[in-house]
Amino acid sequence: DAKTTQPPSMDCAEGRAANLPCNHSTISGNEYVYWYRQIHSQGPQYIIHGLKNNETNEMASLIITEDRKSSTLILPHATLRDTAVYYCIVRGTTDSWGKFQFGAGTQVVVTP
Amino acid sequence: DAGITQSPRHKVTETGTPVTLRCHQTENHRYMYWYRQDPGHGLRLIHYSYGVKDTDKGEVSDGYSVSRSKTEDFLLTLESATSSQTSVYFCAISESGAGAYNEQFFGPGTRLTVL
């Protein structure tokens, strides 16, 4: 069963911030939120993950609500190369190896 | 980018022939995984390895076998390829299998077509 819900698609203008929502209302206390993306025909690429505090790295920021039932991935200045399918995944610290359940994700199209 | 290569990158074969895909890593990560990706199904785990000679099945393991004789290499074998195994195959690695820092890094993929 899917643990996350994401919109199937969204558009974003180049240079603007892209805010990608993810609902994970059944998340449990030991589960992290991971974000990956997959550019066409390439392998998935790790972006960021977090537990309850907001996280930022060179690629993106992750904002997790206080109740942890949803999160938002922020690409601060979207470029055409950010066009990809973005996956939000929840995974516990004790989950079995390899059980990253990739759902359908959000197809993000960045337009000029 | 993580040092993961897959070979071959593209292969066309006929039904009933054996096929072996290779994943090679230079990161010395303990865990390695094989996924397949098909339209409408996303990524599905085939087999994974948690050390040399230590492997286990994923959710779609029927028709596939794996071997890991060295840390750096993880082989996926289709003993007798079928058309339903036409797919894109991705290898992934991770430093740990569970816990907070078990993000997986993926290879470039192998596109396999079984005629």
Side-chain angles (χ1 to χ4, degrees), chain A residues 3 20 36 55 73-75 82 97:
Chain A
K3 291 186 175 182
L20 283 62
Y36 279 77
E55 301 288 344
L73 179 74
I74 301 172
L75 307 177
D82 291 323
W97 297 293

Side-chain angles (χ1 to χ4, degrees), chain A residues 32-35 46-65 71-76, chain B residues 100-101:
Chain A
Y32 283 72
V33 180
Y34 285 80
W35 282 85
Y46 166 79
I47 302 174
I48 199 168
H49 75 282
L51 183 63
K52 50 186 169 182
N53 296 322
N54 296 338
E55 301 288 344
T56 295
N57 63 20
E58 65 277 6
M59 290 182 67
S61 295
L62 174 61
I63 308 298
I64 302 174
T65 58
S71 60
T72 300
L73 179 74
I74 301 172
L75 307 177
Chain B
Y101 300 100

Side-chain angles (χ1 to χ4, degrees), chain B residues 36-73:
Chain B
R36 60 178 289 175
Q37 186 172 34
D38 307 288
H41 290 281
L43 278 156
R44 293 181 292 175
L45 182 66
I46 305 172
H47 281 280
Y48 59 94
S49 169
Y50 46 98
V52 174
K53 300 190 188 304
D54 292 324
T55 65
D56 207 345
K57 297 178 179 180
E59 60 180 311
V60 289
S61 59
D62 287 348
Y64 302 95
S65 63
V66 290
S67 66
R68 191 163 177 208
S69 58
K70 298 185 290 185
T71 298
E72 57 266 35
D73 289 326

